[in-house]
Amino acid sequence: MRVLVTGGAGYIGSHTTLALLQAGHEVLVVDDLSNASEESLRRVAALAGRTPAFIQANVRDEAALDAAFEGFTPDAVIHFAGWKAVGESTQIPLTYYRENLGSTFTLLEAMAKHDCHRIVFSSSATVYGEMSEPPFTEDAPTGATNPYGRTKHMIEQILADAVAADPGLAVGVLRYFNPIGAHSSGRIGEDPKGIPNNLLPFVAQVAAGRRDKLMVFGDDYPTPDGTGTRDYIHVVDLATGHLAALDKLADRSGYHVWNLGTGRPTSVLEIVGAFEKASGITVPYEIAPRRAGDVASSYAHPGKANAELGWSATHTIDEMCADTFRWQSANPNGYADA
Ligand code: NAD
Ligand code: WQD
């Protein structure tokens, strides 16, 4: 299969590009490198023994996208490209709407023009918010509490409308829970710019001595140890979920939503313990006030993806922490070390 991957140089995109190449597919990555380094793709090529095609362009660039579709003639698209920092999205909301919605419009129009009918979209468990209790099934109520989350929620609705107007379109919306970990080679992983927003990159940088201590945001949640619980999923499991969704959409048009999660909640303090075990390094932490906008607990009911995609997450929290530590140790400054 020929797969056009937007945002394929990023964290989840690079792991998925590798999985696609290893499964024998042809890949064209379109990424503007606004939050990634081309080094990730060089390493993906080395691991796969095959080089993905690459165009450095913004997905909103109609001419560049037209040329990409014309030259590559994809059978399917995976749309990772997007801005993703919740806090930043409250500061520069228009940028988030422009980049995330704009890229999706340009992409859907190029697909229609070039006879490409299959798309997998990166959505987020953030759309479940706190409107119902976990575990979340795909038919739980959805909404959003910040501009980033609203872009995901809006794009889901836009995709559903596109399918309603064109029943030949096959859309897979994947709602990721909390992706962590790295490829077991330690060659590719998450390389956040600046101070990490997410728990695992922050913990890894504390262990590496780049930051003094972890601030644990709240220990008075109604969870077993009082700290927030999340459904952490290994990025390689996430990658295989995309391949399973692409396969399913080959014989099933329409609009489909699948949760990609393990179904297991893990607390902040359990993550700290697992990371210490994996690394042999003590992670100093301090209890801090709750972070605005955080929910107490979020985890998937992954049964629909398990049954319909024949997919399930296989990696344990210990493996996720060990792989994060291997990546961080080998690349203390991410791809900048290359
Ligand atoms: P990432 O920032 O590492 O990857 C996104 C990639 O898209 C980057 O390489 C960036 O350079 C590129 N990009 C952004 N806007 C672009 C544009 N308009 N045109 C071309 N390239 C563009 O992020 P990630 O963690 O790999 O996330 C991938 C997708 O998954 C995003 O859509 C994100 O919202 C979604 N998602 C991520 C998480 C998470 O916790 N990482 C959770 C749920 C959903
Ligand atoms: C996990 C837990 C924090 C950092 C975010 C986005 C979501 C999705 C995934 C894209 C929480 C606690 C964190 C720290 C801490 N992204 N924490 N100290 O908030 O579940 O989800 O990333 O779609 O939309 O909101 O992930 O990794 O930030 O936090 O105590 O320094 O770790 O309070 O309980 P979150 P996270």
Side-chain angles (χ1 to χ4, degrees), residues 108-127:
L108 289 172
E109 282 164 358
M111 287 175 63
K113 182 172 169 194
H114 293 275
D115 227 15
C116 178
H117 307 287
R118 212 181 331 167
I119 178 168
V120 169
F121 171 64
S122 302
S123 191
S124 169
T126 195
V127 301

Side-chain angles (χ1 to χ4, degrees), residues 6-13 30-36 57-60 79-84 99-100 103 121-125 148 152 176-179 190 198:
T6 77
Y11 172 45
I12 305 169
V30 178
D31 195 306
D32 64 1
L33 302 182
S34 54
N35 196 38
N58 192 301
V59 179
R60 292 186 296 107
H79 185 28
F80 292 108
W83 291 43
K84 64 164 183 177
E99 293 300 323
N100 294 3
S103 62
F121 171 64
S122 302
S123 191
S124 169
Y148 164 73
K152 293 296 176 191
Y176 313 155
F177 280 70
N178 288 59
E190 186 170 12
N198 293 114

Side-chain angles (χ1 to χ4, degrees), residues 238-261:
L238 209 56
T240 60
H242 289 73
L243 272 70
L246 280 181
D247 279 350
K248 175 52 77 181
L249 294 174
D251 59 22
R252 210 205 251 201
S253 59
Y255 177 80
H256 308 281
V257 182
W258 292 293
N259 284 337
L260 294 187

Side-chain angles (χ1 to χ4, degrees), residues 86 124 126 148 178 197-199 215 217 230 232 291 294:
V86 172
S124 169
T126 195
Y148 164 73
N178 288 59
N197 300 305
N198 293 114
L199 179 63
M215 305 307 278
F217 297 140
R230 297 289 184 273
Y232 297 96
R291 184 172 64 178
D294 272 356

